[in-house]
Amino acid sequence: MAFKIAKNPTFKSRVEVDTPNHKGGHDRSTFMAEFSRTTVQELEELRKVPQADVMRRKLVGWDEFNGDDNQPVEYNEDTLEALISVPEALLGLTNAFWGSVVKGREKN
């Protein structure tokens, strides 16, 4: 496939969240995160700030994210803050974002 300059200002990435359970293992949950695209210059800046701040700047939405009542969780500032306050969720988001934007570099 030929390279094209992205026309869509966002991209989606699967987020995997592994939370500890009472059996000594982890339970995996997944959802789709939508991130705004970035430039190389902005990536350099983002490497220097806490990951919660990266998510505040780059996470713009999500799909397949349900609450305890199995209803979709609306994306807004409050739910974003609640999500990134969970260490396992922040790690999953961080892995999804950075894995998506630097994937090509890691393979080389």
Side-chain angles (χ1 to χ4, degrees), residues 9-27:
T10 65
F11 66 93
K12 292 186 178 183
S13 183
R14 172 82 42 206
V15 177
E16 297 179 344
V17 180
D18 293 313
T19 53
N21 62 33
H22 287 90
K23 298 177 183 176
H26 289 83
D27 295 323

Side-chain angles (χ1 to χ4, degrees), residues 23-67:
K23 298 177 183 176
H26 289 83
D27 295 323
R28 176 165 286 175
S29 302
T30 63
F31 66 96
M32 290 297 289
E34 184 172 1
F35 298 104
S36 62
R37 293 197 183 272
T38 188
T39 63
V40 172
Q41 180 180 351
E42 186 181 22
L43 280 178
E44 295 302 322
E45 294 170 12
L46 292 173
R47 290 182 196 278
K48 300 172 187 174
V49 300
Q51 292 307 297
D53 290 342
V54 173
M55 292 307 119
R56 287 181 186 104
R57 287 174 60 178
K58 303 312 291 181
L59 184 63
V60 297
W62 52 57
D63 293 313
E64 304 169 26
F65 182 20
N66 295 337

Side-chain angles (χ1 to χ4, degrees), residues 76-93:
N76 59 46
E77 188 175 322
D78 292 336
T79 55
L80 169 62
E81 290 300 321
L83 180 62
I84 62 176
S85 73
V86 177
E88 298 89 353
L90 181 57
L91 177 62
L93 284 162

